[in-house]
């Protein structure tokens, strides 16, 4: 066996078959609050903050399109808002939940085999893992509230919000690939001992620029 073959080793990893990024705008999402309906004296609402409390995703095959999947995502937003009266005075703060869904079509390849694996520490001797569907990886940045207002859904006065979020989606499958192997390495640099705050402060450069008044860019050019 030649040297080049000896440096290649098989590695099990998740291959990304398709991915996409989206500036997702979710409009007119009802905010569910514990009191149910907003009181009649509430004229407007403002959002204090919004965060993503839960993410979920699933993939289903697209009919007659082999290898393509419809990816359905669901985002649960935790919304903090306060109500205002006609004069703009704050009446009450509410904490609610808003749920939004969206669908995408991505390529996830096709696999008809089934994986059988035996864990090291388990009473179960064989675990079956179906790999017919690809795994969905969903990532999102902190969302942004675009608008908030009051509307009537059925017979109830409800707050609705428009939320924007940056999202990335990946479809992956486990594959085995050959990669170049490097010799194992042990760190040779000795660990540095922790210094006291006084010793660290004495090593800092003096901030001369912080004592110089700033000028406008046009004045600096002159």
């Amino acid at each position: 066996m030649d040297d080049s073959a000896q440096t290649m080793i098989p590695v099990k990893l998740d291959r990304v078959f398709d991915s996409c990024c989206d500036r997702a705008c979710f409009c007119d999402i009802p905010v569910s609050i514990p009191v149910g309906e907003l009181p009649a004296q509430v004229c407007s609402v403002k959002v204090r903050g919004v965060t993503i409390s839960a993410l979920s995703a699933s993939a289903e095959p697209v009919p007659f399109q082999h290898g393509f999947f419809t990816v359905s995502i669901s985002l649960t937003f935790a919304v903090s808002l306060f109500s205002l009266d006609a004069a703009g005075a704050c009446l009450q703060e509410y904490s609610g939940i808003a749920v939004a869904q969206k669908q995408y079509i991505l390529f996830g390849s096709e696999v008809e085999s089934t994986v059988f694996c035996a864990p090291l520490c388990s009473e179960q001797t064989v675990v079956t893992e179906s790999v017919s569907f690809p795994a969905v990886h969903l990532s999102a940045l902190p969302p942004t509230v675009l608008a908030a207002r009051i509307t009537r859904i059925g017979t109830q006065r409800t707050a609705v919000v428009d939320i924007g979020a940056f999202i990335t989606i990946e479809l992956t499958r486990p594959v085995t690939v050959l990669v170049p192997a490097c010799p194992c390495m042990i760190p040779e640099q000795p660990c540095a001992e922790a210094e006291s705050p006084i010793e660290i402060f004495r090593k800092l450069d003096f901030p001369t620029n912080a004592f110089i008044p700033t000028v406008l860019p046009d004045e600096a050019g002159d």
Side-chain angles (χ1 to χ4, degrees):
M1 185 178 297
D2 57 16
D3 294 338
S4 61
Q6 294 178 359
T7 60
M8 305 295 290
I9 62 172
V11 175
K12 192 80 170 181
L13 50 80
D14 290 334
R15 175 186 171 182
V16 179
F17 280 88
D18 200 1
S19 63
C20 69
C21 61
D22 185 21
R23 296 180 180 87
C25 294
F26 304 101
C27 300
D28 297 328
I29 313 174
V31 180
S32 176
I33 56 178
V35 297
E37 184 178 6
L38 290 173
Q41 64 269 27
V42 176
C43 295
S44 61
V45 292
K46 284 189 176 181
V47 176
R48 184 182 300 273
V50 59
T51 59
I52 297 177
S53 59
L55 292 172
S56 63
S58 62
E60 292 293 335
V62 177
F64 310 110
Q65 296 291 331
H66 297 292
F68 286 87
F69 292 82
T70 300
V71 180
S72 303
I73 68 170
S74 176
L75 294 88
T76 302
F77 301 98
V79 183
S80 175
L81 53 85
F82 54 91
S83 58
L84 305 175
D85 60 11
C90 180
L91 296 176
Q92 186 177 352
E93 185 171 352
Y94 301 95
S95 295
I97 296 296
V99 181
Q101 294 89 21
K102 197 169 184 180
Q103 289 186 335
Y104 305 86
I105 294 181
L106 296 174
F107 179 75
S109 186
E110 285 185 308
V111 175
E112 298 181 358
S113 63
T114 303
V115 175
F116 298 87
C117 58
L120 296 178
C121 300
S122 175
E123 296 180 357
Q124 191 175 7
T125 56
V126 177
V127 176
T128 303
E129 179 184 359
S130 175
V131 293
S132 298
F133 290 176
V136 182
H137 299 268
L138 177 62
S139 302
L141 292 179
T144 301
V145 176
L146 305 177
R149 56 196 170 275
I150 297 176
T151 188
R152 185 171 294 277
I153 299 178
T155 59
Q156 289 189 342
R157 299 178 71 246
T158 306
V160 296
V161 292
D162 298 342
I163 296 178
F166 293 96
I167 299 172
T168 63
I169 304 172
E170 296 177 338
L171 292 188
T172 65
R173 288 186 184 274
V175 295
T176 303
V177 297
L178 290 175
V179 298
C182 299
C184 297
M185 186 191 75
I186 297 177
E188 298 179 355
Q189 181 179 356
C191 297
E193 297 182 0
E195 297 180 307
S196 67
I198 295 178
E199 293 175 347
I200 296 176
F201 182 79
R202 287 175 176 172
K203 294 181 179 180
L204 296 177
D205 295 332
F206 191 85
T208 304
N209 293 334
F211 291 88
I212 301 175
T214 59
V215 296
L216 295 175
D218 294 342
E219 296 179 1
D222 297 339

